[in-house]
Amino acid sequence: MAGKAPGALSRLIAHPSFRWGALLFGIIVLCAVFAWWLAPHDPFRNNFRTRFRAPDETFWLGTDRFGRDILSRTLHGAKVSLRIGLGVAALTALVGGTIGALAGFVKRLDGPLMRFMDALMAFPAVLLAIALAAALGPSEVNAILALSIAYAPRTARVMRAGVMVVREFPFVEGARAIGASPARVLLRHILPNAMAPLVVQQTYVFALAILAEAVLSFLGVGPPPPTPTLGGIIADGRDYIQEAPWISLVPGVAIAMTVLGLNLMGDGLRDALDPRLRTAIR
Amino acid sequence: MLRYALRRILAALPVLLLVSLMSFAIVWIVPGDVAAEMAGPTATAEELARLRERLGLNRPWHEQLVGWYWALAQGDLGESILLRQGVGAAILERLPVTLSLTFLALGIALVAGTALGVVAAVRAGKGADRAAMGAALVGFSVPDFWLGLVFVYVFAVQLAWLPTGGYVPFGQDPIGWARGMVLPAATLALAQIGLFARMTRAAMLEVLRQDYVRTARAKGMPGWVVIGKHALRNALIPVVTVAGIACGVLLGGTVVIESVFSLPGVGRLIVGAIQRRDYPVIQGGLLLTATIFVCVNLAVDLLYAWLDPRIRHGR
């Protein structure tokens, strides 16, 4: 098989970046999944007696202007970020992957499909996502849709390049020669062997989507309040950066840890699945 | 070269056409009544009708589209609902701020990124390499707008070295301009520093293995001449190619960075328009940024082909 040599899994587990990334990301995922159990306070409850509390033994990471616990809100916000990131990674893999596979396999479709992708990519991804999210209306599903439209062209490009490489392999010619239909050649022979770059790319898309979602929420076009979002909490603390810097600081660290974990995993996957990709940049 | 240039320009035209179509079509994906959303819940029926008339929403979609292109052909991007000013004029007024921020960040990213990448490649596998690559990775994992706030907190609030935001025109006070631009440009550059460092390192490792580098070393040339003159110059070619793409990313990044540092640029104009649903400004802003991106990449492609003849003859 191309790219995925027999020892891919053991190479992956032995890869230090991947191990650290998986550890970091795993901790964040566990925190997010068990947010309702782990959060020491109700993330939605206003309490005007506890406004702007600096970190102490009751509120480990302080409170915001409504007296809400920052740690609890960050845990729940991480859950929203991960849900959106996962949604974007899945949707771009499906849509971008399909477009890229068709462009790489059907020569007649290549031109029109990729011009369309080029045009989408001409917009800065974050700007396009903000504009789309605002036009669709702020909600979690719309954030996923907007981010997916912005990031799908990158996935399509990677998939197309992968399919075009595998398409030329002798075993594909062999499959054609014994009478396999084009659809069967693409689905059974080419796609399984062109998956490695897609997996790597989608790890990075997951990371980029979490960063971009934070921008959407920060600017107020992400999931609407009272849903705690990491970008939204940063925006909440923005006007109080002098008096209560912890409000904005904490969620930013959570975002950075999540994205760093994903990027480390992506680097590990890239090296383990296809050593030839080592020098390539996402 | 001329034939190659013409071919590249012709290839960019359908992309520009699609870009202008998509910029216009953003109003079509708004669920429900665009005019009602823009006017707010307190608008009367007359106000709504007037707004629809102004935006051309009372006409069928194909007439709206023809109207959009007809106006574009005359260089007219429509009129902002909130600013009571032409969109083109509003953007042009703010473009110098955004462009200077973008290019300042690009300069910082190129210099710092290549330096970091060269150090990492020369000391490959050693402590300095690990530290540089670790820093690069952290650099593009941190949300930039958040880092901007942290910078404001540290350098403006705590140390009081720099202003928390705002903009002084270069012509009025160059030092004030520089003091205002340092933090936003550094914030914006950070992620790109990481990417440039990684690219430079990879390209340098490739080049350092080449025969001509070994020959230069064998001739007894000092190490820094070999690295600076023979290796880096060739390693920079792929780095410069992605500078065009980096330009687009940076231009997109100005949108949120300008808001964090209260810089009166195109990014803040667009964010304000998005928050208040001023669709003509959103459409014009999208179209303009994408057009700049396509043109910059075209220029980079042509420059690259001019530098390396293999490209224009190869394909």
Side-chain angles (χ1 to χ4, degrees):
Chain A
M1 301 231 315
K4 214 153 105 192
L9 191 66
S10 52
R11 273 211 305 276
L12 192 60
I13 295 167
H15 198 288
S17 303
F18 185 82
R19 285 214 303 234
W20 282 108
L23 181 69
L24 201 55
F25 186 64
I27 291 172
I28 302 273
V29 169
L30 285 177
C31 286
V33 169
F34 295 106
W36 277 116
W37 284 273
L38 290 170
H41 300 275
D42 183 340
F44 300 102
R45 209 176 129 238
N46 297 353
N47 182 348
F48 283 87
R49 265 173 304 182
T50 60
R51 297 174 77 208
F52 295 122
R53 281 273 186 94
D56 58 24
E57 56 264 35
T58 330
F59 301 100
W60 295 352
L61 298 175
T63 62
D64 66 5
R65 75 186 142 132
F66 297 114
R68 296 175 299 193
D69 180 43
I70 294 296
L71 174 61
S72 307
R73 285 184 67 74
T74 301
L75 286 170
H76 284 275
K79 191 172 58 185
V80 178
S81 285
L82 287 172
R83 253 191 336 239
I84 293 178
L86 187 66
V88 174
L91 197 59
T92 51
L94 192 71
V95 178
T98 308
I99 292 174
L102 286 174
F105 189 66
V106 187
K107 281 195 176 108
R108 250 178 317 132
L109 293 178
D110 190 21
L113 283 177
M114 291 324 282
R115 280 306 79 72
F116 191 65
M117 294 293 111
D118 285 348
L120 272 180
M121 270 180 90
F123 300 100
V126 173
L127 176 59
L128 183 62
I130 297 169
L132 287 171
L136 290 168
S139 82
E140 197 172 319
V141 173
N142 287 344
I144 294 176
L145 278 178
L147 290 165
S148 297
I149 295 172
Y151 286 104
R154 286 153 183 81
T155 303
R157 276 202 175 175
V158 169
M159 193 70 210
R160 170 176 175 267
V163 166
M164 286 173 97
V165 169
V166 177
R167 195 178 67 188
E168 305 301 327
F169 282 152
F171 74 86
V172 174
E173 205 180 321
R176 279 216 187 88
I178 59 170
S181 69
R184 190 182 162 81
V185 169
L186 179 63
L187 292 175
R188 291 296 299 274
H189 298 278
I190 295 181
L191 282 189
N193 292 297
M195 278 301 165
L198 186 76
V199 171
V200 177
Q201 173 68 16
Q202 290 315 96
T203 316
Y204 293 134
V205 167
F206 199 145
L208 288 171
I210 286 180
L211 282 175
E213 188 281 323
V215 177
L216 295 190
S217 303
F218 179 72
L219 294 175
V221 293
T227 311
T229 56
L230 297 177
I233 305 170
I234 298 177
D236 283 344
R238 193 185 157 185
D239 292 334
Y240 310 104
I241 193 89
Q242 292 202 30
E243 310 89 331
W246 55 86
I247 304 175
S248 291
L249 282 180
V250 173
V253 173
I255 299 171
M257 279 170 63
T258 316
V259 174
L260 183 63
L262 280 165
N263 279 335
L264 282 167
M265 282 168 73
D267 288 356
L269 278 166
R270 180 193 60 195
D271 294 348
L273 288 175
D274 192 349
R276 283 168 308 172
L277 279 173
R278 211 176 255 274
T279 51
I281 294 294
R282 46 180 173 166
Chain B
M1 184 66 207
L2 194 65
R3 268 187 58 192
Y4 176 79
L6 276 177
R7 209 168 61 219
R8 295 292 312 164
I9 292 169
L10 280 179
L13 286 180
V15 174
L16 282 177
L17 195 70
L18 276 171
V19 159
S20 55
L21 187 64
M22 287 171 180
S23 304
F24 181 73
I26 192 106
V27 287
W28 290 343
I29 67 165
V30 178
D33 187 353
V34 180
E37 199 199 351
M38 286 174 73
T42 55
T44 61
E46 281 156 61
E47 280 169 349
L48 275 182
R50 222 178 309 135
L51 189 60
R52 272 196 205 100
E53 172 79 43
R54 254 181 93 183
L55 290 169
L57 290 170
N58 48 358
R59 288 179 289 160
W61 67 269
H62 55 269
E63 269 182 42
Q64 289 180 36
L65 193 62
V66 170
W68 161 253
Y69 277 111
W70 178 244
L72 268 189
Q74 294 164 321
D76 178 9
L77 285 172
E79 190 138 326
S80 162
I81 304 298
L82 287 161
L83 299 171
R84 310 201 170 273
Q85 183 186 17
V87 173
I91 289 176
L92 276 183
E93 210 176 278
R94 292 163 176 81
L95 200 56
V97 178
T98 301
L99 288 184
S100 54
L101 179 61
T102 304
F103 287 111
L104 210 56
L106 187 65
I108 294 174
L110 269 172
V111 172
T114 20
L116 214 57
V118 168
V119 170
V122 172
R123 315 231 114 241
K126 306 229 174 67
D129 179 23
R130 276 159 199 266
M133 287 303 105
L137 195 64
V138 171
F140 56 76
S141 299
V142 170
D144 52 3
F145 66 95
W146 173 77
L147 190 78
L149 286 175
V150 173
F151 279 173
V152 166
Y153 179 65
V154 174
F155 294 104
V157 175
Q158 290 296 320
L159 300 169
W161 288 352
L162 294 161
T164 54
Y167 180 77
V168 184
F170 183 81
Q172 212 176 76
D173 173 13
I175 295 174
W177 174 83
R179 280 166 53 87
M181 291 300 257
V182 163
L183 287 184
T187 308
L188 189 56
L190 196 83
Q192 302 302 314
I193 293 177
L195 287 177
F196 280 133
R198 275 191 166 199
M199 283 220 60
T200 310
R201 179 180 180 272
M204 278 295 280
L205 286 178
E206 195 76 25
V207 172
L208 286 174
R209 276 202 298 266
Q210 302 290 320
D211 286 340
Y212 61 82
V213 171
R214 201 173 341 135
T215 310
R217 281 227 168 93
K219 281 199 305 193
M221 271 192 179
W224 61 272
V225 177
V226 176
I227 288 162
K229 204 172 155 191
H230 295 253
L232 182 59
R233 277 177 123 186
N234 289 292
L236 274 182
I237 295 177
V239 177
V240 170
T241 324
V242 296
I245 295 167
C247 232
V249 179
L250 290 170
L251 210 54
T254 59
V255 171
V256 64
I257 295 299
E258 284 177 4
S259 304
V260 169
F261 289 95
S262 322
L263 295 175
V266 180
R268 211 162 65 135
L269 176 74
I270 297 177
V271 167
I274 284 171
Q275 282 165 344
R276 278 168 287 168
R277 309 288 188 264
D278 189 353
Y279 283 100
V281 175
I282 302 177
Q283 291 173 320
L286 280 174
L287 176 62
L288 188 93
T289 356
T291 308
I292 293 178
F293 179 78
V294 171
C295 292
V296 166
N297 274 290
L298 186 63
V300 169
D301 272 3
L302 294 181
L303 186 71
Y304 195 30
W306 182 62
L307 288 173
D308 188 348
R310 280 174 303 180
I311 297 187
R312 55 191 128 110
H313 298 302
R315 287 185 228 168

